[in-house]
Amino acid sequence: MSAIGTAVRPGAGPGTRWRGRLGPLGVVAAAIVVAAIVLAILGPTLTPHDPNASDLSRAFAPPEAGHPLGYDGQGRDLLSRLLAGARTSLIGPLAVVALAVTAGTAVAVAAVWAGGWVDSLVSAVLEVVFAFPGVLLAMLVAALFGAGLQAAVLALSVAYLPYTARLLRSAALTEREKPYIRALEVQGASGMTICLRHLVPNLAPLIAVQATLFFGYAMVDLAIISFFGLGVRPPSPDWGVMIAGGQSGVLQGYPAESLLAGACIVVLVVAVNILGERLGGTGATGGRGGRLRWPRRWGARS
Amino acid sequence: MAGYLARRAAMLLVTLLVSSFLVFTGVTLAPGDPLATLSGNRSLPPETVAVLRERYHLDDPFLVRYVAWLGDAVRGDLGVSIAQRQDVSDLIASRAGTTAALVLYASAIVVAAGVGFGLLAALRPGIVDSMVVAGTAAAVAVPPFIAAIVLIAVFAVALDWFPAFGTGSGLLGQIRHLTLPAFALAAASTAAVARVTRTAVREELGREHVQTAVSRGISYPAVVRRHALRNAAVPIATLAGMSTASMIALAAVVERVFGLNGLGAYLVNAALSKDIAVVQGICLVLVTAFVLVNTLGDVVAAALDPRITLGRRA
């Protein structure tokens, strides 16, 4: 990324450095996340069968040649539905994370930069808004504005905003007190420049960790909302919808659809969390892999 | 402590006010005529329209409407369900018991099993510890609705130990019907509490005051109870309070999977059928419970650790 960044650790190639940071478990997690992203992009084109084509005579039929995971309760190919569902299941959480973390960063940095009563007011408001659980807000929004993925994504972003903003605010506060910010101010850099080109880039590692953490929450919450029938609408394949759709099968002794869709969610969430933890070095696993540090390049880029 | 309680109470009131405002404002923000929103776009006879206009003060300015609505809500009048033609308060009252029992049952599991497994892991290093660590690492990632599906598949369908559906009758029957839902709701939180307990107790056991107590000849169980666990109780209480609060919001999921007639399941149905007064009422009740339990958790933590009351948390 920058000359300073590589100069800090001479001798270590980028590959070994990343692997050292991640550890074996982290590498597995990274592989799962990359695979999920590829699936989300290619998934709908990779499906061996039409995910919506149903053959009721084959309802709950066990795996057979060409259908390695068998069929769901409506005689649709399970593997195709899981693959096609990857996209909707990933886009929602990604959108939530992008909205909540971007807005949270903006609110946090603006509040810290303004300081004084603006900061106090923002903190007080965040403290209070903190109290509204995301899933409840999403249900309220779905009832008022109509069910759908967009409404759910917006509701969750609003519900997560206080969490991201609060965490980033305290980090921005410590960062703002550092001498390089003062130095830039003395040099006459505008507040906007300092915030966007120095303060936010230096918060980037924390922002990245936040993003992975909230991706996991958003994935589960969105799956819950789709499970209720208030998010992604049933015929289109989505992991949350599949868990709900497979529920009658569970009671009849065919739990494959619900369990496989649930497993996809759990595995992906765990992988993303491990990755975030390893990259951020939150220390929950004993600090193995170390901390990811962005180079401090104050002054160098102005 | 008194000052701390007063501060917390003031915060609680402000939070509830803002939450209620959020719940109320939604109706005004929704596209279209508020009356159409409130009736879920049903066509209503003119006399019903007049009653609704009166009831929701639709001819008054916004803030007057909010104050009137809040005043009614505080007095226990949450409006009328358009779909059921019944008072929302009555509908809520008849279902709140199920949700409360479910959340209480689940939080009892969280505290008992969470602290139990955490202590076990902290005091028995080696294979027991590793098993608890691995088990909780897996369980903590399983959200309630997936846990519910797994529990139904195993304990209701394959083994047929517990019913998978309905509320049951009689005290024992109800407990039996609530067992799987409560475990599904509690699974992830139990694992989280177990992990925190293990770490906190381990940390305390390594402290000097524990070594001093041991060297003074105090029996080990007493040291664990009075020194290690007592000091580890603060993070455990904080997390247990937060878990219980979040279970209030997540109870809807479990209620729906297990066909329990609780507030959450009713909220989902009301949201699906656009029965706005019911959605508002239940949201208000659940958010109030959520905020109250959160505050209660903080107060318990403060009672356990006097340093918190002196701290900066405003």
Side-chain angles (χ1 to χ4, degrees):
Chain A
M1 258 226 265
S2 83
I4 303 171
T6 42
V8 172
R9 287 254 205 88
T16 53
R17 226 172 70 212
W18 281 99
R19 214 168 306 147
R21 239 174 232 157
L22 292 173
L25 193 61
V27 172
V28 174
I32 292 174
V33 172
V34 170
I37 293 169
V38 171
L39 272 184
I41 298 168
L42 297 177
T45 61
L46 289 178
T47 54
H49 305 275
D50 178 0
N52 285 325
S54 92
D55 174 2
L56 285 175
S57 68
R58 306 211 60 80
F60 297 126
E64 58 182 38
H67 300 267
L69 295 178
Y71 298 81
D72 72 359
Q74 293 180 46
R76 296 174 294 198
D77 181 49
L78 257 185
L79 179 66
S80 300
R81 286 188 72 71
L82 280 180
L83 287 174
R87 184 177 285 180
T88 44
S89 306
L90 259 76
I91 283 181
L94 270 181
V96 172
V97 167
L99 281 173
V101 173
T102 313
T105 310
V107 169
V109 170
V112 165
W113 197 257
W117 66 270
V118 179
D119 189 31
S120 313
L121 182 72
V122 170
S123 315
V125 169
L126 291 179
E127 184 92 29
V128 169
V129 183
F130 215 28
F132 220 99
V135 175
L136 273 191
L137 189 65
M139 283 196 255
L140 184 65
V141 167
L144 292 171
F145 297 87
L149 189 59
Q150 283 169 5
V153 163
L154 268 180
L156 282 187
S157 309
V158 171
Y160 290 172
L161 175 65
Y163 292 81
T164 56
R166 266 165 55 122
L167 278 158
L168 286 166
R169 186 189 153 269
S170 53
L173 208 55
T174 6
E175 202 66 27
R176 198 216 184 297
E177 298 305 316
K178 290 195 175 158
Y180 76 91
I181 298 279
R182 198 62 45 78
L184 285 164
E185 276 182 290
V186 171
Q187 281 177 30
S190 75
M192 197 58 125
T193 312
I194 301 178
C195 287
L196 287 182
R197 303 199 47 183
H198 302 274
L199 196 59
V200 172
N202 278 329
L203 291 174
L206 184 71
I207 295 174
V209 175
Q210 290 295 308
T212 57
L213 205 66
F214 282 99
F215 181 88
Y217 298 149
M219 178 135 208
V220 170
D221 282 354
L222 278 178
I224 288 175
I225 293 162
S226 293
F227 174 80
F228 286 153
L230 293 167
V232 179
R233 310 298 294 171
S236 52
D238 167 90
W239 295 342
V241 170
M242 288 179 70
I243 294 178
Q247 222 190 310
S248 57
V250 173
L251 292 175
Q252 295 166 51
Y254 301 103
E257 184 184 9
S258 289
L259 289 185
L260 285 172
C264 285
I265 292 174
V266 171
V267 167
L268 188 57
V269 168
V270 171
V272 170
N273 282 348
I274 290 175
L275 198 61
E277 188 186 275
R278 290 299 153 96
L279 288 179
T282 44
T285 51
R288 211 170 205 281
R291 210 165 230 288
L292 179 68
R293 281 194 195 282
W294 260 246
R296 297 216 180 288
R297 39 173 137 63
W298 55 283
R301 293 223 305 181
S302 59
Chain B
M1 192 73 191
Y4 175 78
L5 283 180
R7 264 207 318 278
R8 289 297 320 196
M11 245 183 79
L12 180 74
L13 270 182
V14 175
T15 309
L16 287 179
L17 265 180
V18 173
S19 307
S20 67
F21 190 71
L22 204 63
V23 169
F24 175 80
T25 320
V27 178
T28 344
L29 284 178
D33 178 29
L35 197 64
T37 310
L38 283 167
S39 62
N41 291 319
R42 293 167 179 82
S43 55
L44 300 170
E47 53 270 30
T48 318
V49 170
V51 168
L52 282 173
R53 282 209 161 268
E54 210 321 359
R55 182 135 205 165
Y56 290 100
H57 310 271
L58 287 180
D59 299 319
D60 291 331
F62 176 70
L63 275 177
V64 176
R65 248 189 293 158
Y66 169 64
V67 172
W69 175 79
L70 188 65
D72 286 347
V74 169
R75 281 194 297 269
D77 177 5
L78 290 166
V80 182
S81 159
I82 299 278
Q84 313 260 350
R85 292 167 202 285
Q86 257 180 301
D87 271 357
V88 174
S89 311
D90 296 344
L91 289 166
I92 289 179
S94 65
R95 288 166 172 86
T98 308
T99 304
L102 175 64
V103 172
L104 277 178
Y105 194 167
S107 64
I109 296 171
V110 168
V111 172
V115 173
F117 279 117
L119 260 182
L120 195 68
L123 299 177
R124 298 263 179 284
I127 182 109
V128 176
D129 181 34
S130 308
M131 274 168 62
V132 171
V133 169
T136 52
V140 84
V142 180
F145 68 129
I146 298 175
I149 300 280
V150 174
L151 288 180
I152 290 181
V154 175
F155 292 103
V157 178
L159 296 173
D160 200 17
W161 289 356
F162 291 98
F165 209 78
T167 321
S169 56
L171 185 64
L172 271 177
Q174 279 181 357
I175 291 178
R176 229 170 78 85
H177 276 81
L178 279 180
T179 297
L180 283 188
F183 272 92
L185 191 56
S189 303
T190 305
V193 168
R195 289 174 84 82
V196 166
T197 304
R198 173 182 173 274
T199 316
V201 170
R202 275 275 164 87
E203 201 180 306
E204 290 302 327
L205 285 177
R207 291 254 167 102
E208 281 174 356
H209 70 88
V210 168
Q211 290 167 16
T212 311
V214 171
S215 61
R216 273 165 58 208
I218 300 172
S219 78
Y220 197 64
V223 171
V224 169
R225 233 181 315 118
R226 292 217 300 264
H227 295 261
L229 201 54
R230 176 67 182 76
N231 279 309
V234 179
I236 298 172
T238 309
L239 184 62
M242 277 165 54
S243 304
T244 307
S246 74
M247 288 193 296
I248 292 171
L250 288 174
V253 185
V254 174
E255 284 169 8
R256 202 158 155 84
V257 180
F258 287 97
L260 294 175
N261 196 11
L263 279 185
Y266 189 37
L267 172 61
V268 176
N269 284 335
L272 284 168
S273 61
K274 297 195 162 246
D275 196 345
I276 301 298
V278 173
V279 174
Q280 281 185 315
I282 297 181
C283 274
L284 204 59
V285 169
L286 290 184
V287 168
T288 306
F290 181 84
V291 176
L292 276 177
V293 170
N294 255 334
T295 307
L296 195 69
D298 283 355
V299 169
V300 168
L304 289 168
D305 185 353
R307 280 170 302 182
I308 294 175
T309 51
L310 304 170
R312 63 205 157 69
R313 300 191 58 180

